[in-house]
């Protein structure tokens, strides 16, 4: 589904990704772990098409389509979803209005008519129930004054509505207490399907207890230095990231 | 005596002044003076019809029989003026009495850097003065032009590249009143070269009951990476009027902080203008006015963001009792191309007196899109709940009010760099509020 | 940047002219022209005298220059001060309106047919100098509500007009108010009797059609004790290469306990992308509040080449309330200097100012406001929020709030910010599949929401469309 080869990216002349190779198959759940500053968020932003980064070399393919030349919204229309580490606030724009616009733009890209208002509402209600969300939530301004937990839940809510083929969860666990984390993770798990791939990006092993990955990759200094199954997460939890430095010293 | 007659007197004084200057009249500096005099003659004193003087009526101030030049030096003992200095600290001192330099009372230097008078600067560093004089304080202002026309004496500070002045510099303008009502026009020039650092404290003090009108202009040039602290204590007697204009030009990564503290004086007009010409320059302004009776205080500030990546921060507070009047006009200008500008301005006022008034106009003029600019302004009273809380603990109303006002002012004073000066300012504030200083600590 | 260019090239959608014959007075202004206007309207002598006095006052005045706008001053002798679509006769039913004009209003999305209209809106339509149709008049009359063209009010309700005309905006007020007083042609008159709550929105649609004419309408709204009315106005004009002058005066009088809500969606022709043509919109709007009264101004301003207007409230009576909600959009070479004046005279008076400026292209937008609290305004309160959003680096946004406080119990809070649409916000929307243009429309609408929420439903939709049209997508 997603195929990354030799991806190098920098910002303001500072190299951040130094040759990433990663392949994610249909229905697979991958996790990328790594210490702060290893390039985790850069990777998710580059996949989603953020323009602040300079792509030096490498390729980025999604279901055989080259993503490099596509605008962020075009990538989204293909079925790529990024759950942001820090979802932005947009004052005055209600969740309903925002979600309605997003869904109809997806439909427009597929050549479909805008969704009927009553269908839209029914769909939103259904997904809100899934995530145990309050009705009042829909009329609030997007992310404005939301708690950390509400912001992340809102991201998963949108993911549920947009039904992406690949969802990237960027540090979805950061800033969440254990209860909020469980609710968010349950939401994600409910969206798991053989058709949907998920890439979980996280610093801690904690989230992976709830969202069990098929594969784990360790990112360090812009490179994947180790890959394995979920056992790797436990090893990291025990040993921390210091061994990476030792390994580096050995080299 | 009308406004025009002071203007007439100044015009004839200019002729006397030129006669005194002799050969000096052929210098490039003097041609600037002449041009400035022409400008003042054409414009005269500013009237309330000008937007910048909308709330500030100069008419009653310039209606006075002022002596424009002191004809002789007045003898003063240091003990008579000691209380106005920061005696806890070793400082450089530049002291003027009735507009004339007093070497007796001063403590200047030419070692490593120059901390002296404008006239000494002219003798020793003519090229520096030619390079900087009237380059910052220019434009349409007729009172700046008037000062420029008569520019002869004031503080001159020149700090060469990389030098740090360890001791604060105190600049004191004393009026004795022994020559009757008088008008002073000090002219300051401060040049900090690359990476230089200095702190300067400025005060005007009238010792008698005569009327004193001061029209002061100071120009500051802050070279790349330099750091200048400029503190103005305005606590003069009730028969004085001060018009103080300061223009500051800042180069790359320089930092200039100006604090203006007004407790005394009948009429005070401060004009403080920054021009941020180099990227990364940082301008800070703080101000506190604590006035009562028929005092009038006007703060006009302007920050001109010319270069990108600059920052300006401004916080002014005022407390107005009796029938005092406050004016605040803060202008932030962001020029085309001055992207990534951060400009913040706050102005908070408390009205205590039944007849006290405040006119405030915080303005933003923005011509670049990638900027963060904001201003906030409040006018109100002390927090009723806080007052009640203090009173319920047995603190009488007047003391409770004074304590809250003290806290209101302390936020500004806490930003002053020298502990000795902070204490001095806190003491002045406590005295003005009639609270026990020790208690308020 | 491409997006910005695309958007800023957006065409003015209301720029057509209507081909109807008109009765037009030759250009120029003198006492004879004023007499002619007065005669054409069958005015009583007192009205003519009032106009002539205004003309004399105007001649003594000079054009103001303090606003932050630059333009070539109108040539007052080249303007025609009266233009009426022919045939000029009293219109009893819709059949008598020129079919060409009916088509005009269909293009504008306005139906003059009472059957087809939304039942909640009564409409007066003013083309150039005259009112061509007022709907629902009969129904309103049953409740004692008068809603008619100003010229009709002068003839049929002279006592009311004489009592209130010029009491809030005197002829001596300013240059353009004096000019308007001398030559005003039509506009709406509303009178709401004591205790009556007007059951529908009263609305006037203004349209300048003829070339070389100015529009000088005059609106007067009187709300008697305890009454309520919501009034809306909309404005459009054809695209013309020369500048057209629109100098209106609006006076509101809210007597004890009355409430007037006045909404404007102003979309006069703004000129082309090079700054050629467009309407000069110099308007004086002011309301007077007696005890416990409330006046609320809401405006969405997207049109005109040059605008200066400051809908104001004189809060004379105790406990009276003034509100000002404004969205002002400038693009291309447009210039707007707009804001409000809240004059607090009475005790416990309150005012709120919410101003949202949006500047794009090479335009300049200024907020200019005055909050004044007089010595007797015990416990008066004001809150002001003035925000500006900049799109592109060639525009300018300016804020000039004047705050004058003469009472120690008054409280004023003023805040202002200037910013641009965040890259983060755009990327977030893009990631959810929303293209940049739509994202900007969404964000701008959100930014203006506090103001748009104040508009009656029918206008809110129109205003949102207008915003999207004049701005959708503007960050490159």
């Amino acid at each position: 589904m997603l195929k990354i080869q030799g991806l190098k990216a920098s910002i303001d002349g500072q190299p951040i990704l130094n040759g990433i190779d990663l392949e994610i198959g249909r229905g697979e759940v991958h996790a990328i772990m790594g210490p702060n500053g290893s390039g985790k968020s850069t990777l998710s932003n580059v996949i989603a098409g953020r323009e602040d980064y300079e792509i030096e070399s490498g390729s980025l393919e999604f279901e055989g389509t080259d993503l490099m030349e596509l605008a962020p919204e075009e990538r989204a229309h293909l079925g790529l979803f990024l759950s942001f580490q820090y979802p932005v606030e947009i004052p005055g724009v209600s969740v309903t209005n925002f979600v309605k616009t997003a869904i109809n733009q997806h439909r427009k890209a597929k050549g479909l008519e805008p969704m009927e208002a009553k269908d839209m509402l029914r769909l939103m209600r259904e997904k809100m129930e899934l995530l145990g969300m309050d009705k009042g939530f829909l009329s609030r301004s997007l992310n404005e004054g939301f708690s950390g937990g509400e912001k992340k839940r809102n991201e998963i809510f949108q993911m549920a509505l947009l039904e992406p083929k690949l969802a990237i969860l960027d540090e979805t666990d950061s800033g969440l207490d254990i209860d909020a984390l469980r609710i968010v993770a349950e939401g994600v798990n409910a969206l798991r399907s053989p058709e949907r791939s998920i890439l979980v990006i996280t610093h801690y092993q904690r989230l992976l207890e709830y969202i069990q990955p098929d594969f784990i990759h360790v990112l360090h200094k812009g490179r994947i230095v180790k890959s394995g199954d979920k056992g790797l997460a436990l090893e990291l939890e025990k040993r921390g990231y210091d061994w990476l430095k030792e390994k580096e010293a050995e080299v | 005596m009308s406004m025009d007659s002071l203007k007439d007197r100044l015009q004839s004084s200019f002729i006397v002044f030129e006669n005194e200057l002799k050969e000096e009249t052929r210098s490039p500096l003097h041609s600037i003076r002449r041009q400035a005099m022409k400008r003042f003659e054409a414009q005269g004193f500013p009237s309330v019809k000008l937007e910048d003087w909308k709330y500030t009526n100069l008419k009653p101030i310039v209606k006075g029989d002022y002596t424009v030049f002191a004809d002789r030096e007045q003898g003063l003992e240091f003990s008579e003026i000691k209380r106005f200095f920061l005696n806890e600290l070793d400082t450089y001192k530049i002291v003027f009495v009735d507009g004339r330099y007093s070497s007796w009372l001063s403590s200047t230097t030419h070692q490593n850097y120059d901390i002296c008078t404008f006239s000494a600067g002219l003798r020793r560093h003519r090229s520096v003065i030619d390079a900087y004089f009237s380059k910052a304080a220019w434009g349409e202002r007729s009172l700046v032009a008037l000062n420029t026309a008569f520019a002869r004496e004031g503080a001159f500070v020149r700090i060469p590249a990389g030098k740090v002045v360890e001791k604060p510099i105190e600049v004191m303008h004393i009026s004795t009143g022994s020559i009757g009502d008088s008008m002073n026009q000090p002219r300051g020039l401060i040049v900090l070269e690359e990476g230089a650092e200095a702190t300067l404290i400025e005060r005007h003090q009238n010792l008698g009951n005569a009327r004193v009108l001061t029209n002061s202009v100071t120009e500051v040039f802050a070279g790349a990476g330099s750091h200048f602290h400029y503190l103005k204590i305005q606590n003069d007697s009730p028969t004085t009027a001060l018009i103080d204009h300061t223009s500051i030009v800042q180069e790359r990564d320089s930092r200039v902080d100006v604090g203006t503290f007004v407790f005394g004086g009948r009429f005070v007009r401060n004009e403080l203008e920054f021009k941020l010409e180099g990227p990364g320059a940082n301008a800070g302004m703080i101000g506190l006015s604590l006035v009562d009776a028929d005092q009038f205080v006007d703060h006009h500030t302007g920050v001109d963001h010319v270069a990108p990546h600059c920052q300006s921060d401004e916080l002014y507070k005022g407390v107005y009792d009796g029938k005092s009047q406050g004016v605040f006009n803060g202008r932030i200008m962001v020029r085309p191309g001055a992207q990534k500008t951060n400009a913040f301005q706050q102005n908070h006022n408390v009205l205590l007196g039944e007849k006290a008034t405040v006119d405030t106009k915080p303005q933003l003029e923005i011509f670049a899109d990638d900027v963060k600019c904001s201003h906030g302004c409040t006018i109100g009273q002390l927090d009723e709940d806080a007052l009640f809380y203090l009173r319920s603990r047995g603190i009488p109303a007047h003391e409770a009010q004074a304590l809250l006002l003290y806290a209101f002012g302390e936020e500004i004073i806490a930003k002053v760099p020298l502990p000795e000066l902070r204490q001095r300012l806190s003491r002045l504030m406590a005295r003005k509020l009639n609270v026990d200083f020790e208690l308020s600590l | 940047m491409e997006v910005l260019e695309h958007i800023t090239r957006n065409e003015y959608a209301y720029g057509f002219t209507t081909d109807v014959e008109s009765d037009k007075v030759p250009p120029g202004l003198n006492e004879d022209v004023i007499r002619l206007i007065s005669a054409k309207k069958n005015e009583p002598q007192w009205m003519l005298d009032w106009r002539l006095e205004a003309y004399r006052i105007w001649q003594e005045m000079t054009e103001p220059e303090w606003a932050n706008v630059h333009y070539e001053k109108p040539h007052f002798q080249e303007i025609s001060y009266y233009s009426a679509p022919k045939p000029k006769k009293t219109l009893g039913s819709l059949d008598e309106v020129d079919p060409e004009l009916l088509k005009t209003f269909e293009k504008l999305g306005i139906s003059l047919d009472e059957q087809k209209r939304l039942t909640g809106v009564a409409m007066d339509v003013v083309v150039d100098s005259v009112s061509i149709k007022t709907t629902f008049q009969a129904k309103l009359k049953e409740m004692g509500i008068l809603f008619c063209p100003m010229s009709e009010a002068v003839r049929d309700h002279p006592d009311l007009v004489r009592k209130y005309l010029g009491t809030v905006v005197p002829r001596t007020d300013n240059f353009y108010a004096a000019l308007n007083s001398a030559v005003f042609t039509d506009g709406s008159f509303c009178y709401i009797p004591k205790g009556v709550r007007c059951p529908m929105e009263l609305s006037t649609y203004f349209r300048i059609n003829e070339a070389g004419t100015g529009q000088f309408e005059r609106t007067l709204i009187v709300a008697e004790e305890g009454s309520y009315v919501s009034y809306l106005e909309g404005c459009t004009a054809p695209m013309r290469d020369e500048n057209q002058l629109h100098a209106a005066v609006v006076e509101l009088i809210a007597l004890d306990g009355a409430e007037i809500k006045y909404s404007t969606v102003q979309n006069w022709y703004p000129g082309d992308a090079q700054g050629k043509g467009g309407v000069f919109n110099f308007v004086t709007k002011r309301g007077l509040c007696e005890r416990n009264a409330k006046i609320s101004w809401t405006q969405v301003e997207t049109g005109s080449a040059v605008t200066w207007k400051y809908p104001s409230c004189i809060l004379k009576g105790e406990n009276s309330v003034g509100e000002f909600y404004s969205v002002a959009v400038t693009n291309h070479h447009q210039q707007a200097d707009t804001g409000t004046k809240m004059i607090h005279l009475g005790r416990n008076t309150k005012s709120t100012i919410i101003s949202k400026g949006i500047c794009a292209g090479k335009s300049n937008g200024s907020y200019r406001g005055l909050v004044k609290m007089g010595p007797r305004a015990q416990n008066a309160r004001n809150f002001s929020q003035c925000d500006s959003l900049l799109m592109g680096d060639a525009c300018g946004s300016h804020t000039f709030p004047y705050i004058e406080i003469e009472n120690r119990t008054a409280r004023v809070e003023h805040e202002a910010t200037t910013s641009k649409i965040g890259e983060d916000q755009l990327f977030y929307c893009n990631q959810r599949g929303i293209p940049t243009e739509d994202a900007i429309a969404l964000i701008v609408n959100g930014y203006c929401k506090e103001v748009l929420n104040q508009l009656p439903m029918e206008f809110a939709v129109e205003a949102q469309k207008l915003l999207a049209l004049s701005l959708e997508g503007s960050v490159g």
Side-chain angles (χ1 to χ4, degrees), chain C residues 249-270:
Chain C
V249 171
V250 175
E251 295 178 279
L252 311 184
I253 293 129
L255 297 173
D256 290 3
E259 181 177 348
I260 301 175
K261 193 172 160 59
Y262 193 105
S263 312
T264 305
V265 175
Q266 185 264 107
N267 187 28
W268 295 118
Y269 178 53

Side-chain angles (χ1 to χ4, degrees), chain A residues 90-105:
Chain A
I90 306 186
V93 176
S94 68
V95 173
T96 314
N97 194 8
F98 179 76
V99 164
K100 188 182 85 186
T101 311
I103 289 178
N104 283 335
Q105 288 292 343

